[in-house]
Amino acid sequence: MTSDDLKQLDYAIAEITEIAAGFGLDFYPMRYEICPADIIYTFGAYGMPTRFHHWSFGKTFHKMKMQYDFGLSKIYELVINSNPCYAFLLEGNSLIQNKLIVAHVLAHCDFFKNNVRFSTSNRNMVESMSATAERVSQYELEYGAQAVESFIDAVLAIQEHVDPQIVRPQKLDKQRYMELKIQEMKEAKPPKSKGTYDDLWDLDSPLKDSKDSLRKEQQNRTFPPEPEKDIVWFIQEFSTELEDWQRDIMSMLRDEMLYFWPQMETKIMNEGWASYWHQRIVRELDLTTEESFEYAKLNASVVQPSRNSLNPYYLGLKIFEDIEKRYDKPTKEEKERLGRKDGQGRAKIFEVRELDSDTSFIRNYLTKKLTDDLDLYVFEKKGVEWKITDKAWENVRDQLVYSRVNGGFPYIVVKDGDYQRSGELYVTHQYEGVELDLKYVERTLPYLFTLWGKSVHMETKVEEKGVLFTYDGKKVTRKFIG
C-alpha cells in the first residue's frame, strides 16, 4: 500500500471506530496489521500469530493456501481475542474491503469483551502461546523432536475433551473440589448399629452386618467420585505413565483449548453479531458509487445462504435481526402476557450478546416463522442420495441445538479411573441419539492408552445397543453390554 492509501485507511479506521462507539459497542483498544497472504494463512492455520510447531498446522496451512491460490476461498482478516485486540488485514484488500473488515472486527472485539462465555479468557494468550512454543522447543532439544511430536499427537487426539465451566462449585478449582468429594466419601458414616432388641421391630427384613455394609459401600466407590468431563485434566493429574515434561505439555495444550473453546460455543452468534454491525456501521459512511457497488457484492458473499452447509454469518445475522424486529414491535399478546414495550429491540440484542451461547441462542430465538422464511430443514443421506427428512420447525431447531452442544463434539466423561481395581480407565459416551464415528474411536483409543498407560475402555451405543470398546495396548475389541 502507498502512503496515501495508508492515510485513507487510518482516517477510515478512526471514523468507523467513532461510529461503532456511538452505537454502544464496547471493545478493547485495537491494533491493526497489514499482512501478505502467506502470513495471514499461517496465522489461520496455527490459530494465533505464535504457537508451537506441529505437522497438523502445516497440513491445514497448505490446504487453506491452495484454496486461496486457486481462487476457491479467501481470508480477508483475522482477529485475536486479546487485550489489546489484534486484527490482521490481508495485503491487497481494497479500501472499502478494509472498511467493512474494520467494522466487522470491532463487533467481534465487542463480543469477545462482553459475552459471558469469554469472561474467563486469558487476554494475554498471544504472549502465553509464545512462551508455550519456547518450552516445547526446549523439550524437543532435551527429549528429541520425535518423542515430543508423538506425545503431542496423542494429546491433540483428545484435546476437545476439556471442561470450559465458568462457574466453579463452591468456588473451588477441579483439584480441590475432587479432594473435597473424596473426603466426604471417606467421612461417610457407617450404618447405625442396632440395639440388643431393635431387630424385633423389623423381623421381616434381613439382618445386615454394619461392617459388611460399609465394606460393600467402599467397594462400590469409584474414582473420580463424580463423572469427570475434563478428560485432559484428569489424565494430566492422575496418569501414572506421564513424566513431568509431558504433564507440562498437557497443561499448556489444555489452556490453549480452553482459550479457543468459547469461540466454538458462540460461532453462530459471534459471526452474526459482527455481520449485523458491519452492515449498520458501513451505512453511516459516505461511500462513492464504486465503493457502494463493491461493498454490496462483498457483503452479499459474506451473508448469503450456503449451498452445501449452514452459513453461521447468515443464520446469526437473521436471528439477531428477527430479535430486534420482534422486540421493537411486540404483539398485543406479548405486551399483555410478557410486559414487553415498544422499541426494546436494540437493548434486547445487546442482552442476548452478553448472556447467550449458540445453543441457547438457537433454542430461544429461532422461531417457526424465521425457520420457514430461511427454508431450513433436516436432511440425511439415504443410500447414495441426500434427501430432506424433516421440515417441522421444532425438529429443525432441536437438530441445530444438538449440533452445537459441547462445541459440536461428543460428550464423553471419565466414569472410573480405577476400573476393576486395576488402574484401567473407563470412559462413557453420553449418547443422545448420535452415534460416534467408530473408525475414529478405534484410532483414538490407542492414543488414550498412550497417555493413561493401561487398558482403556469406552462405553457407547451402536444401533441403540450398548457397546464397550477396549484397547489393551495390542488391539481394539468390542462387545455388547446390557
Side-chain angles (χ1 to χ4, degrees):
M1 298 181 72
T2 65
S3 59
D4 187 54
D5 292 334
L6 289 174
K7 288 180 181 179
Q8 292 184 59
L9 177 58
D10 189 54
Y11 177 82
I13 289 173
E15 183 181 13
I16 292 168
T17 302
E18 183 179 354
I19 294 171
F23 275 126
L25 297 184
D26 175 26
F27 37 81
Y28 294 119
M30 299 295 300
R31 302 290 185 268
Y32 299 93
E33 297 284 346
I34 298 173
C35 303
D38 285 351
I39 300 299
I40 286 284
Y41 280 86
T42 299
F43 292 173
Y46 278 76
M48 292 289 279
T50 56
R51 206 173 179 193
F52 65 91
H53 298 293
H54 191 256
W55 61 266
S56 62
F57 300 144
K59 179 181 176 182
T60 302
F61 168 80
H62 284 292
K63 179 180 178 180
M64 296 169 63
K65 186 62 166 57
M66 183 176 65
Q67 291 178 330
Y68 169 76
D69 291 338
F70 283 97
L72 301 176
S73 67
K74 184 177 181 180
I75 298 178
Y76 291 96
E77 48 76 26
L78 286 173
V79 59
I80 306 299
N81 169 29
S82 60
N83 181 15
C85 184
Y86 293 94
F88 302 94
L89 313 182
L90 179 64
E91 187 178 64
N93 286 345
S94 66
L95 180 60
I96 184 58
Q97 287 175 336
N98 279 332
K99 287 180 179 179
L100 181 152
I101 291 164
V102 169
H104 194 85
V105 299
L106 282 172
H108 273 313
C109 185
D110 169 87
F111 195 92
F112 293 149
K113 183 178 180 180
N114 296 284
N115 182 267
V116 67
R117 303 307 301 176
F118 291 84
S119 61
T120 58
S121 288
N122 178 2
R123 307 295 183 178
N124 298 312
M125 186 52 82
V126 175
E127 292 78 8
S128 296
M129 286 191 177
S130 179
T132 294
E134 291 181 8
R135 284 157 68 181
V136 170
S137 296
Q138 185 61 38
Y139 289 138
E140 289 177 343
L141 292 175
E142 292 182 30
Y143 302 101
Q146 182 61 47
V148 173
E149 183 176 275
S150 297
F151 180 73
I152 291 177
D153 287 346
V155 179
L156 293 182
I158 64 165
Q159 66 174 337
E160 299 89 1
H161 300 289
V162 296
D163 187 3
Q165 61 179 355
I166 57 177
V167 178
R168 296 178 177 178
Q170 303 183 40
K171 298 183 179 180
L172 299 175
D173 59 28
K174 281 188 170 295
Q175 183 71 39
R176 293 182 180 180
Y177 180 70
M178 183 175 290
E179 290 173 355
L180 175 64
K181 299 301 293 185
I182 292 173
Q183 187 64 29
E184 289 176 351
M185 292 174 62
K186 289 180 178 179
E187 294 175 354
K189 296 181 179 180
K192 184 178 179 181
S193 299
K194 294 178 179 294
T196 305
Y197 302 104
D198 286 353
D199 59 327
L200 296 176
W201 296 104
D202 54 348
L203 290 174
D204 294 332
S205 302
L207 294 176
K208 293 183 179 180
D209 183 83
S210 60
K211 292 183 178 179
D212 291 341
S213 177
L214 179 58
R215 187 180 298 111
K216 183 177 180 181
E217 181 184 348
Q218 290 173 335
Q219 290 174 348
N220 289 334
R221 292 172 180 167
T222 60
F223 176 73
E226 297 177 348
E228 177 56 57
K229 180 183 185 301
D230 201 325
I231 299 177
V232 176
W233 173 84
F234 187 83
I235 293 175
Q236 167 196 316
E237 293 295 323
F238 300 108
S239 171
T240 59
E241 183 72 13
L242 301 181
E243 298 179 22
D244 288 343
W245 68 270
Q246 294 173 317
R247 296 185 198 279
D248 188 34
I249 288 179
M250 284 197 77
S251 175
M252 292 186 291
L253 267 58
R254 175 175 175 268
D255 287 343
E256 291 188 5
M257 177 51 64
L258 289 173
Y259 168 82
F260 288 120
W261 193 271
Q263 299 178 44
M264 300 178 191
E265 288 186 305
T266 60
K267 176 68 174 178
I268 293 172
M269 282 189 70
N270 202 342
E271 297 298 357
W273 184 254
S275 300
Y276 173 96
W277 283 110
H278 84 231
Q279 289 186 350
R280 280 145 186 81
I281 291 171
V282 173
R283 289 173 190 169
E284 301 296 316
L285 301 177
D286 185 17
L287 303 181
T288 65
T289 302
E290 292 77 9
E291 285 182 323
S292 297
F293 278 113
E294 186 179 353
Y295 163 76
K297 183 179 179 180
L298 179 59
N299 181 63
S301 68
V302 171
V303 298
Q304 68 180 343
S306 172
R307 294 181 179 180
N308 305 315
S309 60
L310 189 69
N311 182 351
Y313 298 79
Y314 177 71
L315 180 61
L317 168 66
K318 292 302 180 182
I319 294 178
F320 272 118
E321 288 181 338
D322 185 63
I323 294 171
E324 183 176 36
K325 179 180 177 181
R326 289 189 295 110
Y327 278 77
D328 269 341
K329 297 181 179 180
T331 63
K332 181 179 180 181
E333 179 187 359
E334 290 172 335
K335 290 180 179 180
E336 295 175 352
R337 185 167 61 88
L338 302 175
R340 292 181 185 171
K341 299 179 180 180
D342 291 336
Q344 297 298 310
R346 186 61 57 85
K348 181 62 180 179
I349 63 172
F350 272 94
E351 175 189 311
V352 171
R353 174 269 270 146
E354 180 181 357
L355 300 177
D356 283 88
S357 63
D358 281 349
T359 51
S360 58
F361 182 61
I362 295 170
R363 183 187 294 113
N364 295 334
Y365 302 108
L366 182 61
T367 63
K368 179 180 185 302
K369 183 178 185 306
L370 188 57
T371 304
D372 293 339
D373 291 345
L374 300 181
D375 193 25
L376 299 177
Y377 49 80
V378 178
F379 61 94
E380 298 179 21
K381 193 170 186 179
K382 300 287 187 178
V384 297
E385 296 182 346
W386 290 93
K387 295 185 177 181
I388 296 175
T389 57
D390 202 337
K391 295 200 72 170
W393 82 273
E394 297 97 333
N395 296 336
V396 172
R397 177 199 60 197
D398 292 345
Q399 188 69 28
L400 282 171
V401 170
Y402 292 151
S403 70
R404 302 304 304 153
V405 170
N406 198 41
F409 299 107
Y411 198 108
I412 299 173
V413 298
V414 176
K415 184 177 181 180
D416 195 345
D418 190 21
Y419 182 58
Q420 297 180 337
R421 296 299 180 266
S422 60
E424 298 177 2
L425 184 68
Y426 193 108
V427 299
T428 303
H429 172 218
Q430 307 292 79
Y431 178 79
E432 294 184 350
V434 180
E435 294 183 2
L436 296 175
D437 183 332
L438 300 187
K439 290 183 179 179
Y440 193 89
V441 170
E442 294 184 348
R443 289 196 296 265
T444 304
L445 286 179
Y447 288 121
L448 201 56
F449 177 90
T450 297
L451 298 171
W452 188 249
K454 295 184 179 180
S455 295
V456 293
H457 312 267
M458 173 176 284
E459 178 184 337
T460 185
K461 284 190 177 183
V462 178
E463 297 179 353
E464 301 300 324
K465 297 179 181 179
V467 177
L468 184 66
F469 289 84
T470 297
Y471 182 73
D472 59 3
K474 297 179 180 179
K475 63 178 180 178
V476 177
T477 59
R478 66 176 80 176
K479 67 176 180 179
F480 287 101
I481 57 177

